[in-house]
Amino acid sequence: MLMPTSSSGPSYTTVATAIMATTPPTSPLLIPTLFSKGLSIMNVAPKEKSGLAMASAMALHFFGYEFARGSNMALFTSTSLGFGASSGSYYPLAMTLVSPASMALLLVYGKQLDANGPRMALRNTTCLCIFMLAISGMAVSMMQYNTGWANIMFLSSWKLSQLVIWASFIFQNSYAHLLYAQQWSFLGSIFTPTQAGKYYSYIAGMSSISSMIAGASVSKLVGHVGLSGLLVMAAISLACTCILEDWAYSLSERYGFDPSIEMKKRSEQKTKVHQTQSSESDADALEQNSGNSLLSQVRNGIGLFRRVPTLGALFFEVLTFQSLSTILNTSMVTRLKDVVTNDAKRAAWTGNFYALVNGLSTIFQFLIMPRLSQRVEPKILWRLMPMLPLLCAVAQFFPTSVFTSKLAISSSSSALYLIAISFLTAKTVDYSMRNVLAEMAYVPLPFEARFKGKEVIAVFANRFGKSGMALILSGLHFSFSGSAWLPGLTLLVALGWFSSAVGLSNLIPSKEEAERLVAERNKSDDEISNRQSKKES
């Protein structure tokens, strides 16, 4: 049966065809095969080849994420499908629910890691995200075509379209950290601190370039594929990501630098402990470490954070920064809805904003950070990093009229641009410096800290910081009229981030000490790898 088309969005056939493209007609090994041949010509070593494959997978992940972010933001604030004039009230509530969704994804990942190892955990969670994005795109396309379905009411107040967009928005704000934390964990396991200082800025720069290209192209693509088509394109991009990240793991297994070697070492140590215990104690230990229940995962997580104090410091640093980011983001979204009323133009504005963020970040990542990370101790950079966003928070105390007169813009747009500049500064620092420093901090830590503790921080602390601050903003919004309190809250949280960054810097080891810790870990892993090779032979 032929499917009808609609001017308001792509047809079912268009979306279905795009989703079918996520499964290439040729072998899925085509991408890594071509990739491998190109790197072989350049004589790239296996470890660097594996790292570049994972870095490319990460870049494609963020490439698609820009499409999902621009689409969901425009749909959420849409008058026809989303929440329209009520977006400012519903946005903080949606961000509050991101934390429970992120925790659910974290529990899924924890079970996958314990049962199948890091490679299968990454593959399965990526496939889950592909499925959810594709389904969201199809559902939005269907409701754009048939407004009768879109207007079906739930609980006497919510339309079906609002329910679908609500779920899609929450998932979009939950899945990115789930994937990129695993990708960075792989890189942190195969590179030494010296290599991390050399490569990490460029790896982050690749993601910034891909995000910048995707963000800048949203304004052009949205007219051709619609907002639902952008979600499908995000799913297609993730399908390519899945192929590359799986190939990176296959290279690590083939050449003997597989991160799961540490996991096997931990299993061997547990086996030895169990053999020396009584049967009753043995059963208790197995129950506590099984990871099959929420209680056991929480217990293990608390114990891990106690053993590795750096994780706790990273947790609070992430919490305070995401709180600051949420304040600025919520303010910008609310103001943008009032200034730019057209859905497509609002999606284009958001895409251009993040393209500018990623463009500036790319300059820092390729021209400044590689030199700083090799010449300056990381703990010094941690202390310098919050300075510029803190100055921007202080600048928001100045009257808006001063900002307006300097830039010669209308008073109706001045507040939007003032908030956008502050948010631009925070996100640029985040992408260009903060992410790189955080990943370098994980390199000398043990396996559980890099693969479990890091996921707790990346998924839970990131989202709890956003959700918690969104809940506070929602309460203040209903308790006080206007937003005169907002600059003071912004400055207070910026000071909190500065304090947590300084506290974390005191726990960051020197480059020499980090190299020693990684060398000891690699020596132990080599011994296990040799024993396994002897058993197989």
Side-chain angles (χ1 to χ4, degrees):
M1 181 178 67
L2 294 178
M3 294 293 184
T5 59
S6 171
S7 59
S8 61
S11 66
Y12 302 140
T13 306
T14 303
V15 176
T17 302
I19 293 173
M20 289 294 292
T22 59
T23 305
T26 56
S27 170
L29 295 177
L30 176 63
I31 293 177
T33 299
L34 295 176
F35 202 84
S36 180
K37 288 183 178 179
L39 294 179
S40 297
I41 294 174
M42 294 184 290
N43 196 27
V44 178
K47 184 174 290 189
E48 281 70 19
K49 184 187 298 184
S50 178
L52 185 56
M54 186 61 75
S56 300
M58 191 187 307
L60 281 172
H61 160 44
F62 282 110
F63 182 82
Y65 181 74
E66 290 300 325
F67 294 143
R69 173 161 55 185
S71 175
N72 275 294
M73 186 64 70
L75 287 168
F76 190 88
T77 54
S78 171
T79 302
S80 59
L81 294 176
F83 296 92
S86 302
S87 300
S89 300
Y90 282 106
Y91 182 82
L93 180 59
M95 293 303 297
T96 300
L97 294 179
V98 167
S99 280
S102 298
M103 178 58 70
L105 290 175
L106 181 61
L107 292 175
V108 170
Y109 164 75
K111 290 184 178 181
Q112 286 291 318
L113 180 65
D114 289 335
N116 304 311
R119 179 179 182 177
M120 288 300 299
L122 180 55
R123 180 193 297 176
N124 292 340
T125 51
T126 303
C127 288
L128 171 64
C129 295
I130 294 171
F131 174 78
M132 293 298 295
L133 288 171
I135 290 297
S136 297
M138 289 185 65
V140 171
S141 178
M142 182 175 61
M143 290 183 296
Q144 285 177 326
Y145 170 73
N146 191 324
T147 56
W149 291 342
N151 293 322
I152 295 175
M153 300 302 295
F154 284 86
L155 302 177
S156 303
S157 58
W158 281 46
K159 297 185 297 183
L160 176 61
S161 62
Q162 292 176 325
L163 188 65
V164 170
I165 290 169
W166 177 272
S168 178
F169 181 83
I170 291 175
F171 182 79
Q172 174 257 311
N173 279 277
S174 304
Y175 85 84
H177 287 86
L178 175 74
L179 298 185
Y180 100 85
Q182 295 180 69
Q183 293 162 346
W184 272 116
S185 294
F186 174 83
L187 295 169
S189 297
I190 67 173
F191 289 139
T192 65
T194 299
Q195 291 172 324
K198 181 180 179 181
Y199 297 136
Y200 273 14
S201 294
Y202 298 113
I203 292 172
M206 289 174 60
S207 295
S208 293
I209 291 175
S210 66
S211 297
M212 177 180 62
I213 294 172
S217 63
V218 167
S219 59
K220 297 178 176 61
L221 289 172
V222 70
H224 298 286
V225 301
L227 297 175
S228 59
L230 292 178
L231 291 173
V232 175
M233 291 181 67
I236 295 172
S237 180
L238 269 186
C240 298
T241 292
C242 187
I243 295 172
L244 283 174
E245 63 194 15
D246 199 66
W247 181 57
Y249 264 104
S250 69
L251 285 174
S252 70
E253 293 175 358
R254 186 188 311 168
Y255 292 100
F257 51 89
D258 180 16
S260 64
I261 292 176
E262 285 187 73
M263 189 175 182
K264 296 174 182 177
K265 176 178 67 176
R266 187 161 51 90
S267 299
E268 288 183 0
Q269 292 173 344
K270 287 182 179 180
T271 301
K272 291 179 180 179
V273 172
H274 294 160
Q275 290 175 348
T276 60
Q277 293 175 336
S278 64
S279 58
E280 181 178 356
S281 299
D282 194 20
D284 292 339
L286 286 171
E287 180 181 357
Q288 290 176 1
N289 291 282
S290 63
N292 290 326
S293 67
L294 174 62
L295 181 60
S296 63
Q297 290 199 37
V298 171
R299 186 187 298 115
N300 291 339
I302 293 174
L304 175 61
F305 273 67
R306 286 177 177 172
R307 294 194 303 272
V308 187
T310 304
L311 290 177
L314 283 164
F315 186 96
F316 285 108
E317 187 276 331
V318 170
L319 200 65
T320 51
F321 174 79
Q322 293 300 341
S323 296
L324 174 62
S325 179
T326 299
I327 295 174
L328 297 173
N329 192 18
T330 303
S331 300
M332 190 180 78
V333 169
T334 304
R335 185 66 61 176
L336 179 62
K337 171 186 64 66
D338 298 330
V339 176
V340 184
T341 57
N342 181 271
D343 293 348
K345 290 183 179 180
R346 194 163 55 252
W349 195 99
T350 303
N352 290 333
F353 172 82
Y354 283 103
L356 179 59
V357 170
N358 287 296
L360 293 174
S361 300
T362 301
I363 295 174
F364 278 92
Q365 287 161 340
F366 280 97
L367 300 180
I368 298 175
M369 275 303 294
R371 293 173 176 81
L372 284 178
S373 60
Q374 294 185 54
R375 299 178 183 179
V376 182
E377 287 288 344
K379 64 173 56 184
I380 303 300
L381 295 177
W382 273 110
R383 295 165 186 171
L384 294 175
M385 180 180 59
M387 292 293 189
L388 187 57
L390 182 59
L391 291 176
C392 288
V394 173
Q396 290 192 52
F397 276 107
F398 287 96
T400 305
S401 58
V402 174
F403 177 82
T404 304
S405 61
K406 292 292 184 182
L407 297 183
I409 56 178
S410 63
S411 58
S412 60
S413 302
S414 61
L416 172 62
Y417 284 99
L418 177 60
I419 295 169
I421 288 175
S422 298
F423 192 37
L424 174 73
T425 303
K427 296 303 288 184
T428 301
V429 170
D430 180 27
Y431 291 169
S432 61
M433 182 179 290
R434 180 175 167 272
N435 283 342
V436 173
L437 292 176
E439 297 305 328
M440 291 176 65
Y442 285 107
V443 172
L445 301 183
F447 176 86
E448 281 189 303
R450 296 196 313 276
F451 280 88
K452 285 191 174 182
K454 183 178 183 178
E455 279 292 335
V456 171
I457 293 171
V459 176
F460 184 68
N462 267 289
R463 295 314 171 192
F464 185 74
K466 291 188 175 184
S467 300
M469 182 51 63
L471 185 62
I472 293 173
L473 290 175
S474 182
L476 291 173
H477 173 77
F478 288 107
S479 300
F480 302 97
S481 58
S483 58
W485 45 268
L486 195 57
L489 180 63
T490 303
L491 180 58
L492 179 64
V493 177
L495 287 170
W497 178 42
F498 176 80
S499 176
S500 63
V502 172
L504 171 61
S505 69
N506 296 327
L507 296 174
I508 300 296
S510 65
K511 294 179 181 179
E512 183 179 351
E513 176 66 13
E515 286 286 349
R516 184 186 66 79
L517 293 172
V518 172
E520 292 178 355
R521 184 180 72 205
N522 291 340
K523 181 180 179 181
S524 178
D525 292 345
D526 289 340
E527 293 175 353
I528 293 176
S529 181
N530 291 334
R531 288 200 303 267
Q532 291 177 344
S533 299
K534 291 180 181 179
K535 289 180 180 179
E536 293 174 357
S537 61

Coordinates of all heavy atoms in Angstrom, one line a residue, residues 371-425:
R371 N 49.4 21.8 24.0 CA 50.6 22.3 24.6 C 50.4 22.5 26.1 O 51.4 22.2 26.8 CB 50.9 23.7 23.9 CG 51.2 23.6 22.5 CD 51.3 25.0 21.8 NE 51.8 24.9 20.4 CZ 51.0 24.6 19.4 NH1 49.7 24.3 19.6 NH2 51.5 24.5 18.2
L372 N 49.3 22.9 26.5 CA 49.1 23.1 28.0 C 49.1 21.7 28.7 O 49.8 21.6 29.7 CB 47.7 23.7 28.2 CG 47.6 25.2 28.0 CD1 46.2 25.7 28.3 CD2 48.6 26.0 28.9
S373 N 48.5 20.7 28.1 CA 48.4 19.4 28.8 C 49.8 18.7 28.9 O 50.0 17.9 29.8 CB 47.4 18.5 28.1 OG 47.8 18.3 26.8
Q374 N 50.7 19.1 28.0 CA 52.0 18.5 28.1 C 53.0 19.3 28.9 O 54.0 18.7 29.3 CB 52.6 18.3 26.6 CG 51.8 17.3 25.8 CD 52.4 17.0 24.4 OE1 53.5 16.7 24.3 NE2 51.6 17.2 23.4
R375 N 52.8 20.6 29.0 CA 53.7 21.4 29.7 C 53.3 21.9 31.1 O 54.1 22.3 31.9 CB 54.0 22.7 28.9 CG 54.5 22.4 27.5 CD 54.7 23.7 26.7 NE 55.2 23.4 25.3 CZ 55.4 24.3 24.4 NH1 55.2 25.6 24.7 NH2 55.9 23.9 23.2
V376 N 52.0 21.7 31.4 CA 51.5 22.2 32.7 C 50.9 21.0 33.4 O 50.2 20.2 32.8 CB 50.4 23.3 32.6 CG1 50.0 23.8 33.9 CG2 51.0 24.5 31.7
E377 N 51.1 20.9 34.8 CA 50.6 19.8 35.5 C 49.0 19.9 35.5 O 48.5 21.0 35.7 CB 51.1 19.9 37.0 CG 52.5 19.5 37.2 CD 52.7 17.9 37.0 OE1 51.7 17.2 37.0 OE2 53.8 17.5 36.8
P378 N 48.3 18.8 35.4 CA 46.8 18.8 35.4 C 46.2 19.5 36.6 O 45.2 20.2 36.4 CB 46.5 17.4 35.3 CG 47.6 16.7 34.7 CD 48.8 17.4 35.2
K379 N 46.8 19.4 37.8 CA 46.2 20.0 38.9 C 46.2 21.5 38.8 O 45.3 22.2 39.3 CB 46.9 19.6 40.2 CG 48.4 20.0 40.3 CD 48.9 19.6 41.7 CE 48.7 18.2 42.1 NZ 49.1 17.8 43.4
I380 N 47.2 22.1 38.2 CA 47.2 23.6 37.9 C 46.1 24.0 37.0 O 45.4 25.0 37.2 CB 48.6 24.0 37.4 CG1 49.7 23.6 38.4 CG2 48.6 25.5 37.2 CD1 49.6 24.2 39.7
L381 N 45.9 23.2 35.9 CA 44.8 23.5 35.0 C 43.4 23.4 35.6 O 42.5 24.2 35.3 CB 44.9 22.5 33.8 CG 46.2 22.7 32.9 CD1 46.2 21.6 31.8 CD2 46.3 24.1 32.3
W382 N 43.3 22.5 36.5 CA 42.0 22.3 37.2 C 41.7 23.6 38.0 O 40.5 24.0 38.1 CB 42.0 21.2 38.2 CG 41.6 19.8 37.6 CD1 42.4 18.8 37.4 CD2 40.3 19.4 37.2 NE1 41.7 17.7 36.8 CE2 40.4 18.1 36.7 CE3 39.1 20.1 37.2 CZ2 39.3 17.4 36.2 CZ3 38.0 19.4 36.7 CH2 38.1 18.1 36.2
R383 N 42.7 24.3 38.6 CA 42.5 25.5 39.3 C 42.2 26.7 38.5 O 41.5 27.6 38.9 CB 43.7 25.7 40.3 CG 43.8 24.6 41.3 CD 45.2 24.7 42.0 NE 45.4 23.5 42.9 CZ 46.5 23.2 43.5 NH1 47.6 23.9 43.2 NH2 46.6 22.2 44.3
L384 N 42.8 26.7 37.3 CA 42.6 27.8 36.4 C 41.3 27.8 35.6 O 40.7 28.8 35.2 CB 43.8 27.9 35.4 CG 45.2 28.2 35.9 CD1 46.2 28.1 34.8 CD2 45.3 29.5 36.6
M385 N 40.8 26.6 35.3 CA 39.7 26.4 34.4 C 38.4 27.2 34.9 O 37.8 27.8 34.0 CB 39.4 24.9 34.3 CG 38.2 24.5 33.5 SD 37.9 22.8 33.4 CE 37.7 22.4 35.2
P386 N 38.0 27.2 36.1 CA 36.7 27.8 36.5 C 36.8 29.4 36.5 O 35.7 30.0 36.7 CB 36.4 27.3 37.9 CG 37.4 26.2 38.1 CD 38.6 26.5 37.3
M387 N 37.9 30.0 36.2 CA 38.1 31.4 36.3 C 37.1 32.2 35.4 O 36.4 33.1 35.8 CB 39.5 31.8 36.1 CG 40.5 31.3 37.2 SD 40.2 32.2 38.8 CE 41.6 31.6 39.7
L388 N 37.2 31.8 34.1 CA 36.4 32.6 33.1 C 34.9 32.5 33.3 O 34.2 33.5 33.3 CB 36.8 32.1 31.7 CG 36.3 32.9 30.5 CD1 36.6 34.4 30.6 CD2 36.8 32.4 29.2
P389 N 34.4 31.3 33.5 CA 32.9 31.2 33.8 C 32.5 32.0 35.0 O 31.4 32.5 35.1 CB 32.7 29.7 33.9 CG 33.7 29.0 33.1 CD 34.9 29.9 33.3
L390 N 33.4 32.0 36.0 CA 33.1 32.7 37.3 C 33.1 34.2 37.0 O 32.2 34.9 37.5 CB 34.2 32.4 38.3 CG 34.0 33.1 39.7 CD1 32.7 32.7 40.3 CD2 35.2 32.8 40.6
L391 N 33.9 34.7 36.1 CA 33.9 36.1 35.7 C 32.6 36.5 34.9 O 32.0 37.5 35.1 CB 35.1 36.5 34.9 CG 36.5 36.5 35.6 CD1 37.6 36.7 34.6 CD2 36.5 37.5 36.7
C392 N 32.2 35.5 34.1 CA 30.9 35.7 33.4 C 29.7 35.8 34.3 O 28.8 36.5 34.1 CB 30.7 34.6 32.4 SG 31.9 34.8 30.9
A393 N 29.8 35.0 35.4 CA 28.7 35.0 36.4 C 28.7 36.3 37.1 O 27.6 36.9 37.4 CB 28.9 33.8 37.4
V394 N 29.9 36.9 37.4 CA 29.9 38.2 38.0 C 29.4 39.3 37.1 O 28.7 40.2 37.5 CB 31.4 38.5 38.4 CG1 31.5 39.9 38.9 CG2 31.9 37.5 39.5
A395 N 29.7 39.1 35.8 CA 29.3 40.1 34.8 C 27.8 40.2 34.6 O 27.2 41.2 34.2 CB 29.9 39.8 33.4
Q396 N 27.0 39.1 35.0 CA 25.6 39.2 34.9 C 24.9 40.1 35.9 O 23.7 40.3 35.8 CB 25.0 37.7 35.0 CG 25.3 36.8 33.8 CD 24.5 35.5 33.8 OE1 23.3 35.6 34.0 NE2 25.2 34.4 33.7
F397 N 25.7 40.6 36.8 CA 25.2 41.5 37.8 C 25.0 42.9 37.2 O 24.3 43.8 37.7 CB 26.0 41.6 39.0 CG 25.7 40.6 40.0 CD1 26.6 39.5 40.2 CD2 24.6 40.6 40.8 CE1 26.3 38.5 41.2 CE2 24.3 39.6 41.7 CZ 25.2 38.6 41.9
F398 N 25.7 43.2 36.1 CA 25.6 44.5 35.5 C 24.3 44.7 34.8 O 23.7 43.7 34.3 CB 26.7 44.7 34.4 CG 28.1 44.8 35.0 CD1 28.9 43.7 35.2 CD2 28.5 46.0 35.5 CE1 30.2 43.8 35.7 CE2 29.8 46.2 36.0 CZ 30.6 45.1 36.2
P399 N 23.8 45.9 34.7 CA 22.5 46.2 34.1 C 22.4 45.7 32.7 O 23.4 45.9 31.9 CB 22.3 47.7 34.2 CG 23.2 48.1 35.3 CD 24.4 47.1 35.3
T400 N 21.3 45.2 32.2 CA 21.1 44.8 30.9 C 21.3 45.9 29.9 O 21.7 45.7 28.8 CB 19.8 44.1 30.7 OG1 19.6 43.0 31.6 CG2 19.6 43.5 29.3
S401 N 20.9 47.1 30.3 CA 21.0 48.3 29.4 C 22.4 48.6 28.9 O 22.6 49.0 27.8 CB 20.4 49.5 30.1 OG 21.1 49.8 31.3
V402 N 23.4 48.3 29.8 CA 24.8 48.5 29.4 C 25.1 47.5 28.3 O 25.8 47.9 27.3 CB 25.7 48.3 30.7 CG1 27.2 48.3 30.2 CG2 25.4 49.3 31.7
F403 N 24.7 46.2 28.5 CA 25.0 45.2 27.5 C 24.3 45.6 26.2 O 24.9 45.5 25.1 CB 24.5 43.9 28.0 CG 24.6 42.7 27.0 CD1 25.8 42.1 26.9 CD2 23.6 42.3 26.2 CE1 26.0 41.0 26.0 CE2 23.7 41.3 25.3 CZ 24.9 40.6 25.2
T404 N 23.1 46.1 26.3 CA 22.3 46.4 25.1 C 23.0 47.6 24.3 O 23.1 47.5 23.1 CB 20.9 46.8 25.4 OG1 20.3 45.8 26.2 CG2 20.1 47.1 24.2
S405 N 23.4 48.6 25.0 CA 24.0 49.8 24.3 C 25.3 49.4 23.7 O 25.7 49.9 22.6 CB 24.2 50.9 25.3 OG 25.1 50.5 26.4
K406 N 26.1 48.6 24.3 CA 27.4 48.2 23.8 C 27.3 47.4 22.4 O 28.0 47.6 21.5 CB 28.2 47.4 24.8 CG 28.6 48.1 26.0 CD 29.7 49.2 25.7 CE 30.2 49.9 27.0 NZ 31.1 50.9 26.7
L407 N 26.3 46.5 22.4 CA 26.1 45.7 21.2 C 25.1 46.2 20.2 O 24.9 45.7 19.2 CB 25.8 44.3 21.6 CG 26.8 43.5 22.4 CD1 26.3 42.1 22.7 CD2 28.2 43.5 21.7
A408 N 24.4 47.3 20.6 CA 23.4 47.9 19.7 C 22.3 47.0 19.3 O 22.0 46.8 18.1 CB 24.1 48.6 18.5
I409 N 21.7 46.2 20.2 CA 20.7 45.3 19.9 C 19.4 45.7 20.7 O 19.5 46.5 21.7 CB 21.1 43.8 20.3 CG1 21.5 43.7 21.8 CG2 22.2 43.4 19.4 CD1 21.8 42.3 22.2
S410 N 18.3 45.2 20.3 CA 17.0 45.6 20.9 C 16.9 45.0 22.3 O 17.5 44.0 22.6 CB 15.9 45.0 20.0 OG 15.9 43.6 20.0
S411 N 16.1 45.7 23.1 CA 16.0 45.3 24.5 C 15.3 43.9 24.6 O 15.6 43.2 25.6 CB 15.2 46.3 25.3 OG 13.9 46.5 24.7
S412 N 14.5 43.6 23.7 CA 13.8 42.3 23.7 C 14.7 41.1 23.5 O 14.5 40.0 23.9 CB 12.7 42.2 22.6 OG 13.2 42.4 21.4
S413 N 15.8 41.3 22.8 CA 16.8 40.3 22.6 C 18.0 40.3 23.5 O 18.8 39.4 23.5 CB 17.3 40.3 21.1 OG 16.2 40.2 20.2
S414 N 18.2 41.4 24.2 CA 19.4 41.6 24.9 C 19.6 40.5 26.0 O 20.7 40.0 26.2 CB 19.5 43.0 25.6 OG 18.4 43.2 26.4
A415 N 18.5 40.2 26.7 CA 18.6 39.2 27.8 C 19.0 37.9 27.2 O 19.8 37.1 27.8 CB 17.3 39.1 28.5
L416 N 18.5 37.5 26.1 CA 18.8 36.2 25.4 C 20.3 36.2 25.1 O 21.0 35.2 25.4 CB 18.0 36.1 24.1 CG 18.4 34.9 23.3 CD1 18.2 33.6 24.0 CD2 17.5 34.9 22.0
Y417 N 20.8 37.2 24.5 CA 22.2 37.2 24.1 C 23.2 37.3 25.3 O 24.3 36.7 25.3 CB 22.5 38.4 23.2 CG 22.0 38.1 21.8 CD1 20.8 38.7 21.3 CD2 22.7 37.3 20.9 CE1 20.3 38.4 20.0 CE2 22.3 37.1 19.6 CZ 21.1 37.6 19.2 OH 20.6 37.4 17.9
L418 N 22.8 37.9 26.4 CA 23.6 38.0 27.6 C 23.7 36.6 28.2 O 24.8 36.1 28.5 CB 23.0 38.9 28.6 CG 23.7 39.0 29.9 CD1 25.2 39.5 29.8 CD2 23.0 40.0 30.9
I419 N 22.6 35.9 28.3 CA 22.6 34.5 28.8 C 23.3 33.6 27.9 O 24.1 32.7 28.3 CB 21.1 34.0 29.0 CG1 20.4 34.9 30.1 CG2 21.1 32.6 29.4 CD1 19.0 34.7 30.2
A420 N 23.1 33.8 26.6 CA 23.8 32.9 25.6 C 25.3 33.0 25.7 O 26.0 32.0 25.5 CB 23.3 33.2 24.2
I421 N 25.8 34.3 25.9 CA 27.3 34.4 26.0 C 27.8 33.7 27.2 O 28.9 33.1 27.2 CB 27.6 35.9 26.0 CG1 27.4 36.5 24.6 CG2 29.1 36.2 26.4 CD1 27.6 38.0 24.5
S422 N 27.1 33.8 28.3 CA 27.5 33.2 29.5 C 27.5 31.7 29.4 O 28.4 30.9 29.8 CB 26.6 33.6 30.7 OG 26.7 35.0 31.0
F423 N 26.4 31.1 28.7 CA 26.3 29.7 28.5 C 27.4 29.3 27.5 O 28.0 28.2 27.6 CB 24.9 29.4 28.0 CG 24.6 27.9 28.0 CD1 25.1 27.1 29.0 CD2 23.8 27.4 26.9 CE1 24.7 25.7 28.9 CE2 23.5 26.0 26.9 CZ 24.0 25.2 27.9
L424 N 27.7 30.1 26.5 CA 28.7 29.8 25.5 C 30.0 29.6 26.2 O 30.8 28.7 25.9 CB 28.7 30.9 24.5 CG 29.9 30.9 23.4 CD1 29.6 29.8 22.4 CD2 30.0 32.2 22.7
T425 N 30.4 30.5 27.1 CA 31.6 30.5 27.8 C 31.8 29.2 28.6 O 32.8 28.5 28.6 CB 31.8 31.7 28.7 OG1 31.7 32.9 28.0 CG2 33.1 31.7 29.5

